[in-house]
Amino acid sequence: MNEVFTFADLEQPASLNPEGQKPARLAVIGHPVAHSKSPELHQPALDSHDIDARYIRLDLEPGQLTDAFARMRDLGFIGTNVTVPHKFEALSTCSDLDPAAQALGAVNTVLFSDDGSTLGFNTDGPGFVRAIREEFSVDVRDLKILIVGAGGGAGQALATQCAREGCEQLILVNRSLDKIMQLKERLTPFFETERLEGPGDRLQAYPIDSPDLAEVAGHCDLIVQTTSLGLKATDPAPLPRHCVQPHHLVYDTIYQPPQTRFLREAQASGARIANGLSLLLHQGALSFEYWFPGSQPLPSMKKAFGK
Ligand code: ATR
């Protein structure tokens, strides 16, 4: 059931909490938000921990976050997830930020703490590191990584995390070069160490149609697909087939459909592949662990998604 609440419902607790239902205590805030899978992820974890709380979808207009957070705190909400387009507004609405949220410039998890502060976290980057470890038994910090779609919201977040981890090499690839040139500038300080020859080698940016891409990709260990290409069955793959080789680990952040054309082609090339379901699960589990320290939400989340 994709029931969606709005700001008006926060002012009418009766509509938010119909009789016979558990009280709404957690939410995902977005605009639109009806498509969000977060309730399907978190409700089973709440139920398996015997927590008397309901996780709801909340559609807010830009500019409503400050008032909404205050109302939610009054209503006894524990926290909330934040998704597109509110991740940046959430950053400025929180009173305290964890280092990942600060570095990524975006908040996806909020905790209304007992002392009145509003804590902002970002679990997308750390969730990605856990997902890669689980899927391929490797650490992001040990890899040469190519991110295609690095100029988009998801791509920038994952590229920033890879840089924070100190990965061996990071290749930013995007259709429009201007977005990744800015990102490259922002990430350069993370690579100014003595590993390899210098930041110029460890951090590079290429347009998606660069003739050098196949050779550059050949030197990488992990290719991460973060464009929106693949959501539709008719979408082409974002990289030409010859860019993927048998030694590659290929991760597509899309999980619906479970296998994009890009993943199918990568598998046919002999590469090891994984889709974005593990990222969804791990970023969700990390959020849950911020709300309920010491909890173990991952098994029930995995079960709910058949993984
Ligand atoms: P966001 O809001 O996260 O930026 P988006 O605008 O859908 O999401 O774009 C996500 C990524 O998919 C971007 O890297 C985008 O490339 P541009 O920055 O050049 O727009 C990429 N993308 C979307 N459609 C694409 C296409 N047809 N070919 C290549 N890349 C594409």
Side-chain angles (χ1 to χ4, degrees), residues 134-164:
E134 180 181 272
E135 298 284 8
F136 301 125
S137 308
V138 289
D139 276 321
V140 162
R141 63 181 307 280
D142 296 327
L143 301 176
K144 297 186 174 76
I145 302 170
L146 184 151
I147 299 185
V148 56
Q156 292 209 22
L158 300 193
T160 304
Q161 186 67 29
C162 293
R164 292 184 70 222

Side-chain angles (χ1 to χ4, degrees), residues 84 148-155 173-176 179 208 226-229 238:
V84 180
V148 56
V173 177
N174 206 52
R175 179 177 55 181
S176 38
K179 286 197 208 162
I208 212 163
T226 65
T227 77
S228 43
L229 286 176

Side-chain angles (χ1 to χ4, degrees), residues 20-91:
Q21 292 208 22
K22 292 181 175 183
R25 293 278 183 267
L26 289 161
V28 53
I29 296 175
H31 186 67
V33 75
H35 64 282
S36 172
K37 299 263 185 235
S38 293
E40 292 157 49
L41 197 63
H42 288 284
Q43 194 63 51
L46 288 168
D47 296 343
S48 76
H49 285 79
D50 287 326
I51 298 168
D52 186 28
R54 206 163 99 256
Y55 187 108
I56 62 163
R57 295 181 179 83
L58 187 56
D59 193 324
L60 296 182
E61 306 275 340
Q64 288 184 323
L65 255 63
T66 305
D67 289 342
F69 281 7
R71 291 293 304 128
M72 291 168 83
R73 183 186 283 284
D74 288 348
L75 289 166
F77 272 74
I78 297 155
T80 184
N81 281 130
V82 182
T83 187
V84 180
H86 296 309
K87 290 186 182 188
F88 306 105
E89 190 178 331
L91 185 93

